[in-house]
Amino acid sequence: MKIINYTDMHCDTVTVCADRVADLRENGFQLDLKRLSSSGCAAQCFAIFTKGETAPKDFERYLAFYKRMLLEHGDLILSVENYGDLVAAQKSNKVGAILTVENLGFIGTDLDRLNALEKNGVCMASLVWNYENALARPNLIFENDFPAFEKRVNTGLTDLGREAAERLDKLKIIIDISHLSDGGADELLNGRKIPLVASHSNAQGAYNVSRNLTDGQIKKIADCGGVVGVNFCFDFLGGSGGFESVYNHISHIINVGGEDVAALGSDFDGIPLSPQLEDCTRMQALFEYLSGRGLPFNTIEKLAYKNFFRVFKEIRG
């Protein structure tokens, strides 16, 4: 089977490298530029993830680190802010770097900070992580400091969260509903015409935990032209983990929403090691496995990169 280009919609490598004083070019984590380049990666979404009281300062530090990595490693990576940049990255055999934000809680109540994100090249953003902020609540309840994955949250967005979502659409920053409460996701999805994504979420119908999307949510994401990036975290895959579990989620998402909604969102460097999915060099082996399970080549190409490219082109131009 020939090498298939792919796009990964979510990783936490920028945050991890900055915190551990490591380099994005080559490191001992789950993902780096050299391994991305050799594994067929057409584009990698690099998330800036923040939490807690230091989040505003942390964001600026991570952003500065990311921009420095772009400058220092231009032989391997090309900054992508629009579809033309994606094409240019492919033509130059470089990894397209797409800047995203996981958890907009660091902006507090100052929605004008969203304009600064757009100016700094942020292409995609999620409203919330595992803890409530001024915009939204997550689809996660803690009981005695442990996540109650069997329980889901129907609370919707705050008024500020609704305004933030409207501004994100106007700024053409792709809205990411991973981690968002069921109530918040449903608010954004009901009657929606602009594509949104779940960058690293799986299917409740394949494994019933609150971080995974319901069939209704998958259908609505498909209806608005969006995509779901399958997460490689063992806690959300279920089963034995690894290729088989990834296949189970992909096939369920396709059965529910069609082959145009499936995509990949590994969550590398934000998750423990999963069997067969230790790092980004395993992507081609995953595609070979999916082919062996009967997924047509065209379908694998769609979930590998074409579906995300379509969404990116529609929103980012």
Side-chain angles (χ1 to χ4, degrees), residues 245-297:
S245 295
V246 171
Y247 167 78
N248 290 338
H249 284 271
I250 288 172
S251 61
H252 186 88
I253 289 168
I254 290 174
N255 287 338
V256 170
E259 63 179 17
D260 292 336
V261 74
L264 299 170
S266 70
D267 206 1
F268 279 141
D269 291 316
I271 58 174
L273 293 179
S274 293
Q276 298 181 309
L277 295 161
E278 295 85 359
D279 60 35
C280 64
T281 65
R282 300 294 294 156
M283 299 301 291
Q284 297 303 319
L286 171 62
F287 299 144
E288 289 184 11
Y289 177 87
L290 297 176
S291 178
R293 290 297 300 265
L295 281 188
F297 182 80

Side-chain angles (χ1 to χ4, degrees), residues 9 13 15 18 20 24 56 65 120 129 162-163 179-181 203 228 302-304:
M9 293 174 62
T13 312
T15 301
R20 300 186 188 181
L24 200 58
F65 172 82
N120 277 299
W129 184 60
R162 295 182 189 98
E163 185 178 349
H179 289 283
L180 184 60
S181 67
V228 176
K302 281 188 173 185
L303 74 92

Side-chain angles (χ1 to χ4, degrees), residues 5-13 30-31 36 39-47 86 95-100 124 199-200 229-232 263-269 271 279-280 283 287 303-305 308-309:
N5 290 330
Y6 73 92
T7 296
D8 179 3
M9 293 174 62
H10 187 83
C11 76
D12 288 303
T13 312
Q30 291 173 312
L31 179 155
L36 286 176
S39 67
C41 183
Q44 176 67 54
C45 294
F46 290 100
L86 272 179
V95 176
I98 300 172
L99 181 60
T100 73
M124 181 166 71
S199 69
H200 57 299
V230 171
N231 187 323
F232 295 168
L264 299 170
S266 70
D267 206 1
F268 279 141
D269 291 316
I271 58 174
D279 60 35
C280 64
M283 299 301 291
F287 299 144
L303 74 92
Y305 76 96
F308 177 77
F309 272 32

Side-chain angles (χ1 to χ4, degrees), residues 214-229:
T214 66
D215 286 359
Q217 289 166 347
I218 294 169
K219 288 177 182 177
K220 289 176 181 178
I221 292 172
D223 288 344
C224 75
V227 293
V228 176

Side-chain angles (χ1 to χ4, degrees), residues 178-199:
S178 286
H179 289 283
L180 184 60
S181 67
D182 281 351
D186 290 342
E187 273 193 60
L188 290 174
L189 286 167
N190 288 337
R192 187 171 180 84
K193 303 301 181 183
I194 302 171
L196 58 65
V197 305
S199 69

Side-chain angles (χ1 to χ4, degrees), residues 21-34:
V21 196
D23 200 286
L24 200 58
R25 184 182 193 89
E26 192 171 7
N27 56 58
F29 307 136
Q30 291 173 312
L31 179 155
D32 60 37
L33 298 182
K34 288 186 71 174

